[in-house]
Amino acid sequence: MRKRNVKPSQKTNQNDSVQYEKAARAKETQILAYSIPAAIVLTGILVFYITNYGSTVFILEKSNLPNASLPNAYDPNAWGSYRPHVYFGLKTRKPASPLVGLVWYRQALGSVDRFRHGCRQEDNIRYMWQDSDGETFGHQRVIDNELTFDTNWLGFKHSFASEIKLHPISQKIPNAKYTFVFYFYLENESDTLYPEVGSDGQVKSYIGNIDGIGKYRIRFESNNPVTSEASFKVPPTFNLVSITDVVQGITDVNDEGTFFINQAKLGQNLENSDSRQLLFVQFTVAENDVVRMHFEGNEEQLEGKFGDVFNKKLENFRKTFDEKYELKQTNYPANYEMMGRAALSNMLGSIGYWHGYSEVDSGDSVKPYGPLSLLSGVPSRPFFPRGFLWDEGFHNLLIKNFNPSLTLNILSSWLDSMTSTGWIPREMILDPEARSKVPAEFITQHPDVANPPMFFYVIESLMRSTDFMTQYSRRLVQFYPRLKQFYLWLKETQKGPKKGTFRWRGRNGTTDLELNPKTLPSGLDDFPRASHPTNDEYHLDLLCWMALSSRVLRQIAEYASDTAFMPEIEEDMELFNSIENLDKHHWSESKQRYFDYGFHSENVALKEIRFQDKNGQIHVIKKRDVKSPPKLQLVENVYGYLNLFPFLLRLLHPTSDKLGIILKDLKKEELWTPYGLRSTSSNSPYYMRYNTQHDGPYWRGPIWINMNYLALASLKHYSASGPHSEVARNLYSELRQNVITNIATQYQATGHFWEHYNDKTGKGAGSHPFTGWTALVLNIMAEKYD
Ligand SMILES: *[C@@H]1O[C@H](CO)[C@@H](O)[C@H](O)[C@H]1NC(C)=O
Ligand SMILES: *[C@@H]1O[C@H](CO)[C@@H](O)[C@H](O)[C@H]1NC(C)=O
Ligand SMILES: *[C@@H]1O[C@H](CO)[C@@H](O)[C@H](O)[C@H]1NC(C)=O
């Protein structure tokens, strides 16, 4: 799941706090929903739970299975753009890493405005890594209204060089000046930072010692002198999240009306020999200026080195990109190619690293679980700058084609966060900065709640590549013990009421405020299911996920020679992939489609209820009105992404008649649009319906690129052979064209990739820039599905 709170029709200048209010409301119901399973999970799975006076207490300890990560997979002291939630920031991949960041603002007519630091949609800025390999360098273009500049950086062993390069100012604002404040922060109190003073008494650089890096020096270079600087110890209450407040707090104005950082405002009397923790260096710049910050570890000399090395790096990256994706050989216009490169680069450049504890509801209290270290892509820098389990599977469908070893490092960091039972937190919110982007109600994770095991899809896709297998098959064997535990956890905790069925936990069976209680764990949030959640229901998508997972796990079990497990996994694989089993539980003869099953009413609506409180004030709330009683049945009045799963996850044989039916249905107007496949059929009573008074339709109409990607990958697969291959081929090329053209049109018009797209107009909607799974447009352009 992600959030279900962003309305598809959002304006670009929305305010985050308003959204968070909505989010909080949505979350309230969700939180309450989580308490159900605590009572009903007592099905004797004592391996997983200790029951304690009737309530379930989850074991929250890290798994001691062999790590999936390799001990020396990366250098923890190498710098990277691992702070996706800020416009520009660098850190290393270790706990308590030193942090680098940038704050900028505008000064005009004796006042300051537009303090920028953390990515925010309401800033109305266009920014994307245009070129980045996610590990050693990046080139980002930032367009903040009239001000355009590039933020570039380059790593050298334990050093980095970075620059801010201004472009001409597009629209001159009288007397406006632009100020950039670089900051450098030492979180580890044993690291040191001192000003290095020249013979003229001026500070010429900063020096110190950092754990793991050793001696270092920080130098600034610019055609424009430093306007002011400050370095100091932070108070115990210091919170990096409020860095712009700190900058504003010590900003002063001089007689000429220019704003500068005034160290005296800190009231700290430090000797040059006193170590500092936080450094600000400020430049006030004009168009075409360049400002550079270099961090030189181990006596490295970076002065004057940046330009040539950076240009070479950029050139090589673009060359590799061209070779890997071969877009030049297609007929796309040049701007499509740049779009594809930006999609990949912003995905890679947004990879973050976090270390800390996840807050988990253990059943009797909320406990810190960890410590966990996560390397992961993010769906959206301003809105979702943290790890999401199922999104990360999609992200790695993109990342693996560029750098499979990076994908293995990312997947292993997720697998290594597993509990001894095999549960992995669905959202990774590990440090104060990550927490600052999440309303309190969203933070707690629930160890009975699953999320689609997309990692198995990525791994299946990797295993189809002979190149990959030649080089990395041993890594999959290292993943095996944890993948197996992950699978066993899913199989046991999400099992359905009948053999061969599965049920997502975490739906609220008692609410009367939701039109159709959400299924957040499924990732499809408000996609309609049985109207009245009960333990009798079972879910089509989850059976398909288990079918896929068992196929993949069986194959790796063979590589890992787990002979003892073979009979069990083979039996699972046969049952979960059995078309007989699928049809028995999910196929409707009368409707000729696959459906969920459960306690369902086909006639529900949200009804307005007005009442007067004791002060005479009128309130209007919406409650669900059930017009015909629910009964146990297939959920036949819902059609959309969910119903395509046997095709999306390729359970159906190429000769299957049912495949033929699904393909025919795809092209019907209810799902087909000129911009891609919409999430919920336009004939469904749930199409574009609000789920509560406040929660707008999310997976009830809008077009989502992850699902369109799965559809395209399957169409391509079924194009290869069988009686439906020609139909599949035609659908494939038409759908592909529609998806690419619309994303490109929206990208050209707005400069953003979007969370989802409007099914009537194609317009981008929801959070943005969203280079999570929407960035899969590059795979689609390059036809790289495996
Ligand atoms: C379900 O949601 C309703 C509010 O809509 C709430 O009052 C109730 O406590 C929730 N039930 C559970 C078991 O979480
Ligand atoms: C797994 O990794 C953790 C954290 O990096 C480490 O403490 C632990 O010793 C490793 N376990 C094994 C079995 O290598
Ligand atoms: C801080 O640095 C010291 C060495 O200077 C090191 O022993 C310690 O592990 C570091 N702390 C963290 C949280 O990384």
Side-chain angles (χ1 to χ4, degrees), residues 68 70 324 396-412 415 455-480 483 552 555-556 559 784-786:
L70 294 177
K324 286 198 188 255
N396 279 282
L397 290 174
L398 184 73
I399 296 171
K400 75 178 173 54
N401 293 337
F402 182 75
N403 184 348
S405 134
L406 182 54
T407 282
L408 292 172
N409 286 339
I410 290 174
L411 297 191
S412 52
L415 289 173
F455 288 178
F456 284 110
Y457 189 98
V458 180
I459 291 172
E460 185 172 60
S461 176
L462 284 168
M463 288 194 306
R464 284 194 211 108
S465 150
T466 5
D467 282 356
F468 175 84
M469 290 311 278
T470 316
Q471 209 176 340
Y472 296 108
S473 57
R474 281 207 42 245
R475 291 287 283 125
L476 293 185
V477 174
Q478 277 157 348
F479 281 15
Y480 175 69
L483 285 176
V552 176
Q555 202 170 335
I556 310 176
Y559 300 142
K784 282 184 175 291
Y785 301 101
D786 287 328

Side-chain angles (χ1 to χ4, degrees), residues 94-96 188-191 210-211:
K94 67 175 182 196
N188 187 337
E189 287 177 23
S190 35
D191 295 343
I210 288 176
D211 176 42

Side-chain angles (χ1 to χ4, degrees), residues 362-476:
S362 71
D364 55 1
S365 62
V366 173
K367 294 197 178 117
Y369 166 61
L372 308 176
S373 295
L374 186 75
L375 180 73
S376 178
V378 303
S380 160
R381 288 167 62 190
F383 219 89
F384 306 112
R386 55 188 180 275
F388 289 82
L389 183 55
W390 95 300
D391 293 64
E392 202 48 29
F394 288 99
H395 298 169
N396 279 282
L397 290 174
L398 184 73
I399 296 171
K400 75 178 173 54
N401 293 337
F402 182 75
N403 184 348
S405 134
L406 182 54
T407 282
L408 292 172
N409 286 339
I410 290 174
L411 297 191
S412 52
S413 97
W414 277 92
L415 289 173
D416 287 348
S417 69
M418 171 181 287
T419 62
S420 55
T421 63
W423 173 74
I424 300 177
R426 192 174 52 158
E427 277 191 40
M428 287 282 197
I429 308 158
L430 300 182
D431 63 20
E433 288 196 280
R435 272 191 283 280
S436 76
K437 283 287 193 172
V438 192
E441 302 90 319
F442 276 81
I443 290 173
T444 304
Q445 300 292 299
H446 299 266
D448 51 347
V449 166
N451 214 199
M454 243 326 264
F455 288 178
F456 284 110
Y457 189 98
V458 180
I459 291 172
E460 185 172 60
S461 176
L462 284 168
M463 288 194 306
R464 284 194 211 108
S465 150
T466 5
D467 282 356
F468 175 84
M469 290 311 278
T470 316
Q471 209 176 340
Y472 296 108
S473 57
R474 281 207 42 245
R475 291 287 283 125
L476 293 185

Side-chain angles (χ1 to χ4, degrees), residues 69-174:
S69 309
L70 294 177
N72 298 312
Y74 60 88
D75 181 344
N77 294 301
W79 294 85
S81 53
Y82 303 125
R83 305 183 66 208
H85 61 293
V86 296
Y87 289 116
F88 180 65
L90 301 171
K91 71 192 270 194
T92 69
R93 275 164 70 180
K94 67 175 182 196
S97 157
L99 301 175
V100 172
L102 181 71
V103 174
W104 74 91
Y105 64 91
R106 183 171 70 175
Q107 343 187 345
L109 306 170
S111 69
V112 289
D113 69 357
R114 292 207 204 138
F115 274 85
R116 311 294 200 202
H117 173 246
C119 305
R120 297 187 307 174
Q121 287 181 180
E122 70 265 32
D123 287 348
N124 259 320
I125 296 182
R126 289 188 186 192
Y127 57 101
M128 291 248 301
W129 292 102
Q130 304 287 326
D131 299 274
S132 165
D133 65 0
E135 292 185 305
T136 65
F137 96 108
H139 158 232
Q140 174 176 243
R141 173 79 34 97
V142 179
I143 307 175
D144 179 2
N145 298 280
E146 75 279 6
L147 178 71
T148 301
F149 58 93
D150 291 347
T151 68
N152 301 326
W153 76 277
L154 184 59
F156 299 87
K157 293 190 204 77
H158 298 164
S159 309
F160 72 80
S162 65
E163 76 176 2
I164 307 300
K165 196 174 189 170
L166 277 93
H167 291 238
I169 304 230
S170 64
Q171 179 203 352
K172 303 276 189 317
I173 312 280

Side-chain angles (χ1 to χ4, degrees), residues 748-760:
Q748 301 309 333
T750 64
H752 293 301
F753 293 101
W754 294 80
E755 185 179 15
H756 43 78
Y757 293 86
N758 185 294
D759 62 320
K760 294 219 184 69

